[in-house]
Amino acid sequence: MEIRGTDTPRLDWTGDALAIGLFEDAVDLTGDLAELDQKLAGTITELIEETEFKGSANSSAVTRVGSSSPIRKIILVGLGKPDDLTLDTLRRGSATIARTAKQQKITTLGISLPVVNDDPTATAQVITEGIILALHQDNRFKSESEDKGAKLEQIDLLGLAGQEAGIDQAQKICEGVILARELVAAPANEVTPISLAQTAEELASEYGFSLEILDREACEELGMGAFLGVAKASDLPPKFIHMTYKPDGTPKRKLAIVGKGLTFDSGGLNLKGAGSGIETMKMDMGGAAATLGTAKAIGQLKPDVEVHFISAATENMISGHAMHPGDILTASNGKTIEVNNTDAEGRLTLADALVFAEKLEVDAIADLATLTGACVVALGNDIAGLWTTDETIAQQFKDAAEAAGEKLWQMPMEEKYFEGLKSQIADFKNTGPRAAGSITAALFLKQFVKETPWVHIDIAGTVWTDKENGCNNSGATGFPVRTLVNWVLSET
């Protein structure tokens, strides 16, 4: 599929379908649209009237034009109120157009949408993102693909000639998002600690990253007792992945991205019970998936920033070797942890990963993890939680997420709540009381970062969607690859 910008006017464009964006309650045709409607024998007016199309956000209508027309079909997409127009409006609108074109078996498509903020490059980028991500389907595990029939071959972005840079950047970012989606969507018998390490090896080979993969013995030498405590029960060996992108010349910044890499979480001896969603626990490596997806995008974009991609990958299983509730683990910074719940395992793996990341003397650390059900209760499935004690990095992520169309909400780091983690026999426990569970989880992680600016993002609700939502189809979303890429690329 080729996506390209063109200066061909709507009146002169020819192809299978022309998609036009219209604002809410502003669907009266004027100017060149009125001329186009006249050229098409009133087809657009009839479509608006017959479907009662109002231009509300994400609405759409489609009709066939007469066989003698140079355009076979017209697609209308609603953009909502003009004052509410954002780049994400176009991302979501282009996703609607792409799905409609696919259903209508369109092969050549023209898209006419407004330029936002007088920025044609960013406009071309978000339209391209919406198209690619909406059209992505994961059929790897089906004996016969459901993606049949005609496919889009050429998409012209009208009024966006010369915006190849935005289109190209979107394509590279989307490759990273799709990698993250496919890692999360794959079952636990396909994506294991071993295969995550192999994915890192493939990325390192393709993009020239340096890579070290620490085995159990190497992790023991580094004192990673928290990570290895979780890994004890699995028949599969743990893999600690550290991959580094370095630009040519002196980097402007040095960053670390740490992703939780639990390829399956049974809950351990605190076994997840019926109705707990144990069958979905293949998604518990969503943080690692986003970390590797971001690496794929960064390897192509090549910013002047050094980035370390880190994941302590393992399973949380049950066996005679499993850690017990009540065990005490010693993390690599010497902190002792009373394990009062083996199902709060992700924070244990992140503890040693954060200590490792800080020793790299980076300028900032971001960790992302499907960490708590409490975050889903608080924020639902569309919004990830953000915790930090550094307002500069908080604002960086808010700006990066807004540009990406991925929602974050800053949550409080209420130090008083750390009292709920106190232990009589160790430095602290791995879980506190049920109340404020996502906050106490963040406070736990904070114990493993001394001085480096750090942000924790809980993506438990956002890595998967059960129904079509914006540019995400049902299934894995690839959240928050776009936000992470924006953060790395930002100048602050």
Side-chain angles (χ1 to χ4, degrees):
M1 180 178 67
E2 180 186 10
I3 302 175
R4 64 186 187 182
T6 178
D7 57 5
T8 303
R10 291 184 288 201
L11 276 168
D12 299 332
W13 187 85
T14 61
D16 284 344
L18 176 61
I20 300 167
L22 295 176
F23 289 110
E24 187 171 346
D25 297 328
V27 296
D28 293 334
L29 305 181
T30 60
D32 69 328
L33 271 183
E35 291 183 57
L36 178 62
D37 186 46
Q38 185 176 9
K39 182 178 179 180
L40 301 178
T43 298
I44 302 176
T45 297
E46 287 184 7
L47 176 60
I48 292 171
E49 292 176 349
E50 289 180 1
T51 63
E52 298 183 346
F53 183 79
K54 302 296 185 184
S56 56
N58 305 316
S59 62
S60 63
V62 60
T63 190
R64 185 177 179 86
V65 186
S67 59
S68 61
S69 170
I71 300 171
R72 188 161 62 89
K73 294 186 179 182
I74 289 288
I75 300 171
L76 302 180
V77 63
L79 302 177
K81 300 288 187 183
D83 291 344
D84 296 333
L85 180 66
T86 65
L87 287 169
D88 197 49
T89 305
L90 299 191
R91 188 185 283 111
R92 297 173 74 91
S94 63
T96 299
I97 290 169
R99 291 191 186 99
T100 303
K102 181 177 180 179
Q103 292 165 358
Q104 296 292 320
K105 303 188 185 308
I106 301 302
T107 57
T108 57
L109 172 67
I111 297 179
S112 177
L113 294 172
V115 173
V116 176
N117 300 329
D118 295 320
D119 191 340
T121 301
T123 297
Q125 178 179 333
V126 297
I127 293 173
T128 303
E129 287 177 5
I131 292 166
I132 293 174
L133 295 178
L135 292 178
H136 170 246
Q137 276 194 317
D138 188 358
N139 294 311
R140 292 170 296 162
F141 303 107
K142 294 185 177 181
S143 58
E144 292 186 17
S145 173
E146 295 179 353
D147 194 8
K148 299 176 180 178
K151 294 184 179 181
L152 274 165
E153 296 176 358
Q154 180 180 309
I155 300 176
D156 292 337
L157 309 185
L158 277 60
L160 293 172
Q163 301 307 320
E164 289 79 11
I167 294 170
D168 180 65
Q169 179 152 317
Q171 290 170 328
K172 291 172 179 175
I173 293 172
C174 288
E175 285 190 32
V177 175
I178 289 170
L179 173 60
R181 283 181 175 183
E182 294 190 345
L183 287 171
V184 171
N189 61 333
E190 291 284 337
V191 172
T192 65
I194 297 169
S195 68
L196 277 183
Q198 290 171 340
T199 299
E201 290 172 349
E202 292 166 2
L203 291 171
S205 175
E206 185 170 3
Y207 300 114
F209 301 144
S210 61
L211 175 66
E212 59 176 338
I213 297 175
L214 306 181
D215 60 13
R216 189 187 304 271
E217 290 72 23
C219 292
E220 286 174 349
E221 291 177 8
L222 293 174
M224 294 184 178
F227 169 43
L228 294 177
V230 177
K232 284 170 60 177
S234 176
D235 290 337
L236 299 177
K239 299 290 182 181
F240 190 97
I241 301 165
H242 174 213
M243 185 166 58
T244 308
Y245 162 79
K246 290 186 177 181
D248 296 331
T250 304
K252 294 180 180 178
R253 293 186 296 161
K254 296 182 180 181
L255 305 174
I257 297 174
V258 179
K260 175 184 170 184
L262 268 293
T263 59
F264 189 78
D265 175 24
S266 70
L269 290 179
N270 288 112
L271 181 67
K272 294 179 183 292
S276 65
I278 190 171
E279 71 280 0
T280 69
M281 284 299 104
K282 66 177 186 177
M283 298 187 294
D284 216 18
M285 38 62 69
T291 299
L292 295 175
T294 303
K296 185 172 182 65
I298 293 302
Q300 298 175 78
L301 294 169
K302 302 186 182 303
D304 295 330
V305 180
E306 181 177 309
V307 190
H308 297 262
F309 304 96
I310 298 167
S311 182
T314 186
E315 296 180 313
N316 184 26
M317 299 297 284
I318 299 173
S319 76
H321 302 290
M323 65 177 175
H324 314 86
D327 282 358
I328 295 178
L329 306 177
T330 303
S332 48
N333 65 346
K335 297 291 185 180
T336 57
I337 307 160
E338 179 186 358
V339 180
N340 64 335
N341 189 338
T342 64
D343 194 22
E345 82 301 326
R347 64 197 70 184
L348 297 173
T349 66
L350 287 170
D352 284 324
L354 288 170
V355 173
F356 183 93
E358 187 164 43
K359 289 179 180 178
L360 299 173
E361 298 183 346
V362 294
D363 298 310
I365 301 169
D367 84 68
L368 41 147
T370 50
L371 204 63
T372 67
C375 188
V376 184
V377 172
L379 298 176
N381 295 107
D382 290 335
I383 307 171
L386 180 154
W387 286 262
T388 183
T389 56
D390 187 292
E391 288 305 312
T392 298
I393 196 172
Q395 193 59 52
Q396 289 173 1
F397 264 86
K398 290 174 186 178
D399 293 342
E402 182 177 2
E406 295 180 318
K407 295 181 180 180
L408 297 179
W409 190 262
Q410 187 171 359
M411 300 283 278
M413 292 285 285
E414 183 59 55
E415 291 290 345
K416 180 182 178 182
Y417 290 175
F418 188 72
E419 294 176 4
L421 294 174
K422 288 184 177 179
S423 167
Q424 293 184 352
I425 56 175
D427 291 333
F428 39 82
K429 298 180 290 187
N430 70 325
T431 67
R434 182 177 183 184
S438 62
I439 297 175
T440 54
L443 291 169
F444 176 91
L445 295 178
K446 182 174 176 285
Q447 310 310 306
F448 301 93
V449 183
K450 288 184 178 180
E451 298 176 354
T452 309
W454 155 80
V455 62
H456 160 60
I457 302 175
D458 193 329
I459 59 174
T462 55
V463 296
W464 190 272
T465 180
D466 289 328
K467 59 183 180 180
E468 186 180 288
N469 184 8
C471 59
N472 294 320
N473 298 317
S474 60
T477 63
F479 189 103
V481 170
R482 301 198 305 273
T483 295
L484 290 166
V485 170
N486 287 347
W487 179 56
V488 172
L489 297 182
S490 66
E491 295 297 324
T492 53

